């Protein structure tokens, strides 16, 4: 059974905003109580939070669909709906958030770091908030906005100070087991280690973490073996340790060629050229291993490597190696900028969202209106309520959409689409729908929408004529 997962695809859905309430205050001896519909509650966000006690993405592998709660609708008596509860998802330190295209959205490093993966929809206004000097008792309320829906990818890059790299069965798992309290699986066959192992090492006053990265073989950077799957776990390390097997039983391998091959794979992967290297000649407890270590050590030192001869079985040379790694880790930590406590960063959206564009779409034969405000207003409109539709027309006219359509060449009866191609609201444009709340009738009605629409009627007549022609053709078709 899988117990370690370092990459998952997560489907997140924020909560929808609650609808506003259309209500009129009713009380004895107060016939004109006025509107008292409350606003809808905000939908809950989906928030990723780094927790150092979490070490794997296994929970999200089994349950990849996560949704926050919706906001409650408003009620009469000026009672606002309850906000939806935020959904907090705890992720390991070092988690990278990507979109479906592979672009990095956030790099979550440090306990308590947060990222809003999906934002909840805002609640709709009740009719009490929509009342004005001209529209004293609105018979409608605004709908709540839907929350964000998104598919994101979570990738875990282990936060370790030291990374052990090398061929399978080079002794990396044995080395980490004797340097720390980690208990990885150890056996005498290749690819014993299928997941990265982490251990904590104490050397004097320095405490650092060490990771065993499995599966590096020729072609690992192109996906052979397990290398491509786990090479990202070495990106955050301060020092790379090449563990070389001096007692390999394969006749076509030797420690120097193993080192060259692993270095080439690291070069192909990229981004690791600035990391200091240390070479560990392992298994010197075997006579042939010690002889081979004595032969190749001068060559490795000529290349500029610091070389340590160790035996994980006999536990020789470990103290010197541990303190050398602690010294390099200490230098790397001292060179890093001082870390500050995690702060909550508030990034409000820009206030100036009045911009919009009007373009003609020849393929669909419509004038397409795109802009944050028009699209949001359409999502909040109840099209089953004529007064709400008239209110939308007033808002669009005040924003300047009518003037922009006239400049773009739109005429009465032309199709206008507000929103994207996938989710647009299309209607026949009638420039006579100008702002005029004083023309309103009873609550929930708008006399402007009852006016005849000759352009729309002409379009329906043409469609009916085409349908009649098609029907006559089908009746006389000899085939």
């Amino acid at each position: 059974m899988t117990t370690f997962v370092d990459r998952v695809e997560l489907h997140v859905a924020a909560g929808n905003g609650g609808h506003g309430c259309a209500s009129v205050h009713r009380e004895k001896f107060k016939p004109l109580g006025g509107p008292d519909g409350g606003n809808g509650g905000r939908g809950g966000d989906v928030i990723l939070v780094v927790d150092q006690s979490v070490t794997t993405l296994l929970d999200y592998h089994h349950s990849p669909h996560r949704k926050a709660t919706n906001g409650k609708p408003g009620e009469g008596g000026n009672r606002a709906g309850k906000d939806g509860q935020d959904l907090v998802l705890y992720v390991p330190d070092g988690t990278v958030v990507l979109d479906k295209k592979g672009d990095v959205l956030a790099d979550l490093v440090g306990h308590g770091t947060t990222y809003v993966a999906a934002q909840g929809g805002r609640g709709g206004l009740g009719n009490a908030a929509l009342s004005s000097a001209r529209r004293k008792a609105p018979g409608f309320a605004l709908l709540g906005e839907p929350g964000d829906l998104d598919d994101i990818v979570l990738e875990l890059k282990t936060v370790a100070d030291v990374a052990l790299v090398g061929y399978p069965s080079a002794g990396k798992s044995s080395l980490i087991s004797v340097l720390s309290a980690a208990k990885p699986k150890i056996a005498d066959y290749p690819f014993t280690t299928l997941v990265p192992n982490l251990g904590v090492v104490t050397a004097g006053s320095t405490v650092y973490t060490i990771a065993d990265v499995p599966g590096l073989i020729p072609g690992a950077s192109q996906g052979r073996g397990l290398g491509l799957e786990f090479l990202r776990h070495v990106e955050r390390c301060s020092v790379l340790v090449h563990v070389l097997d001096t007692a390999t039983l394969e006749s076509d391998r030797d420690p120097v060629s193993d080192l060259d091959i692993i270095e080439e794979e690291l070069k192909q992967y990229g981004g690791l050229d600035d990391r200091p290297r240390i070479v560990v000649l392992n298994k010197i407890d075997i006579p042939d291993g010690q002889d081979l270590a004595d032969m190749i050590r001068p060559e490795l030192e000529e290349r500029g490597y610091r070389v340590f001869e160790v035996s994980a079985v006999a536990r020789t040379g470990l103290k010197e190696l541990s303190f050398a790694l602690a010294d390099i880790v200490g230098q790397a930590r001292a060179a890093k900028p001082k870390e500050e406590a995690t702060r909550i960063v508030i990034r409000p959206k820009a206030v100036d969202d009045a911009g919009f564009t009007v373009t003609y779409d020849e393929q669909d034969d419509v004038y397409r209106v795109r802009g944050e405000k028009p699209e949001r207003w359409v999502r909040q409109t109840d099209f089953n309520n004529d007064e709400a539709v008239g209110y939308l027309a007033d808002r669009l006219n005040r924003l300047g959409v009518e003037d922009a359509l006239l400049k773009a060449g739109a005429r009465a009866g032309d199709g206008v689409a507000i929103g994207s191609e996938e989710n647009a609201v299309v209607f026949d444009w009638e420039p006579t729908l100008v702002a005029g709340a004083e023309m309103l009738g009873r609550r929930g009605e708008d006399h402007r929408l009852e006016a005849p629409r000759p352009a729309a009627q002409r379009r329906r007549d043409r469609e009916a004529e085409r349908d009649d022609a098609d029907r006559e053709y089908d009746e006389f078709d000899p085939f």
Side-chain angles (χ1 to χ4, degrees):
M1 180 179 179
T2 302
T3 58
F4 180 86
V5 174
D6 63 349
R7 190 181 191 278
V8 295
E9 182 175 337
L10 197 61
H11 311 280
V12 292
N16 300 327
H19 301 326
C21 176
S23 172
V24 174
H25 181 72
R26 300 183 185 277
E27 188 177 345
K28 192 175 183 180
F29 306 120
K30 289 185 178 181
L32 301 176
D36 66 348
N39 302 333
R42 178 189 63 84
D45 300 333
V46 179
I47 305 174
L48 304 179
V49 180
V50 173
D51 187 347
Q52 291 183 345
S53 64
V54 180
T55 59
T56 177
L57 301 173
L58 182 63
D59 290 344
Y60 309 120
H61 172 73
H62 294 305
S63 302
H65 297 271
R66 301 300 178 104
K67 187 181 187 307
T69 57
N70 298 329
K72 300 296 182 182
E75 300 179 4
N78 292 305
R79 288 174 293 180
K82 184 179 179 181
D83 291 341
Q85 187 175 2
D86 294 338
L87 177 62
V88 179
L89 305 178
Y90 294 100
V91 297
D93 192 4
T95 300
V96 180
V97 186
L98 307 98
D99 60 13
K100 293 286 289 183
K101 298 179 181 178
D103 298 328
V104 176
L105 302 176
D107 193 353
L108 306 180
V109 179
H111 183 75
T113 304
T114 62
Y115 172 72
V116 179
Q119 192 166 22
R122 69 179 71 185
L125 296 179
N127 65 342
L130 296 173
S131 63
S132 63
R134 291 186 176 182
R135 197 186 300 267
K136 297 183 182 298
F140 68 98
L142 298 185
L143 304 179
E145 289 189 76
D148 292 341
L149 295 172
D150 202 1
D151 295 333
I152 59 176
V153 176
L154 302 182
E155 281 190 354
L156 174 60
K157 294 181 180 180
T158 303
V159 180
D161 298 302
V162 179
L164 303 181
V165 295
Y167 260 75
S169 296
K172 301 185 298 295
S173 298
S174 301
L175 190 59
I176 196 174
S177 68
V178 295
L179 286 173
S180 68
K183 301 298 179 185
K185 181 180 179 181
I186 300 173
D188 59 351
Y189 55 84
F191 295 105
T192 308
T193 304
L194 299 178
V195 299
N197 294 309
L198 276 179
V200 179
V201 182
T202 302
S205 60
T206 304
V207 179
Y208 59 91
T209 55
I210 187 169
D212 166 18
V213 181
L216 294 189
I217 60 173
S221 59
Q222 280 74 42
R224 290 193 61 195
L226 302 175
L228 187 60
E229 185 175 355
F230 294 120
L231 264 172
R232 60 175 171 269
H233 290 277
V234 306
E235 291 185 18
R236 304 186 192 276
C237 66
S238 301
V239 57
L240 292 174
V241 177
H242 285 281
V243 181
L244 304 181
D245 186 357
T246 61
T248 179
L249 300 177
E250 300 180 31
S251 58
D252 57 342
R253 283 179 48 201
D254 65 86
V256 176
S257 62
D258 290 353
L259 174 65
D260 294 337
I261 291 173
I262 299 301
E263 275 292 337
E264 180 62 26
E265 296 305 319
L266 295 176
K267 180 180 179 181
Q268 293 294 328
Y269 186 76
L272 301 171
D273 295 336
D274 59 335
R275 311 301 163 83
R277 265 78 161 166
I278 283 182
V279 173
V280 172
L281 301 177
N282 194 20
K283 303 182 183 180
I284 62 170
D285 54 302
I286 301 176
D288 292 341
Q290 182 62 67
D291 295 340
L292 183 56
D294 294 337
M295 291 174 56
I296 64 174
R297 178 166 185 158
E299 180 180 351
L300 296 174
E301 290 178 341
E302 286 181 2
R303 296 188 181 186
Y305 291 108
R306 292 182 63 185
V307 181
F308 293 85
E309 300 178 6
V310 304
S311 170
V313 175
R315 303 202 174 195
T316 58
L318 300 178
K319 184 176 180 180
E320 294 81 0
L321 173 62
S322 177
F323 277 88
L325 293 175
D327 182 58
I328 297 176
V329 170
Q331 295 177 14
R333 291 175 179 174
K336 287 183 179 179
K338 185 178 180 181
E339 295 185 0
E340 298 181 357
T342 302
R343 296 179 295 175
I344 299 176
V345 180
I346 300 176
R347 298 183 176 89
K349 289 187 176 181
V351 177
D352 186 13
D353 57 354
F356 65 91
T357 59
V358 176
T359 57
Y360 178 65
D361 189 338
E362 295 184 0
Q363 182 176 359
D364 296 333
D365 190 24
V366 295
Y367 288 87
R368 196 170 299 279
V369 179
R370 298 301 306 272
E372 184 176 347
K373 269 191 175 181
E375 294 180 33
R376 183 175 74 243
W377 291 345
V378 166
R379 291 194 298 266
Q380 294 178 324
T381 300
D382 180 7
F383 286 94
N384 295 320
N385 187 303
D386 288 346
E387 187 180 357
V389 177
Y391 178 69
L392 172 63
D394 294 343
R395 301 176 87 181
L396 293 175
N397 183 68
R398 287 194 297 268
L399 188 63
V401 173
E402 292 249 345
D403 294 338
L405 286 171
L406 289 172
K407 291 180 180 179
R411 295 180 298 176
D414 289 342
V416 176
I418 300 180
S420 61
E421 297 182 7
E422 299 79 12
N423 190 23
V425 174
V426 183
F427 56 92
D428 293 334
W429 182 50
E430 287 297 332
T432 56
L433 286 177
V434 295
E438 66 279 357
M439 300 174 58
L440 298 178
R442 294 177 298 177
R443 296 178 63 249
E445 297 180 356
D446 192 317
H447 292 319
R448 294 171 294 176
L449 299 180
E450 299 174 1
R453 304 177 65 188
Q457 186 61 42
R458 288 196 302 270
R459 180 180 297 180
R460 286 193 290 267
D461 293 342
R462 287 196 300 268
E463 293 178 354
E465 291 175 0
R466 285 197 297 267
D467 293 340
D468 292 340
D470 293 341
R471 193 179 303 108
E472 292 177 1
Y473 178 81
D474 293 338
E475 291 176 355
F476 292 100
D477 188 356
F479 300 101

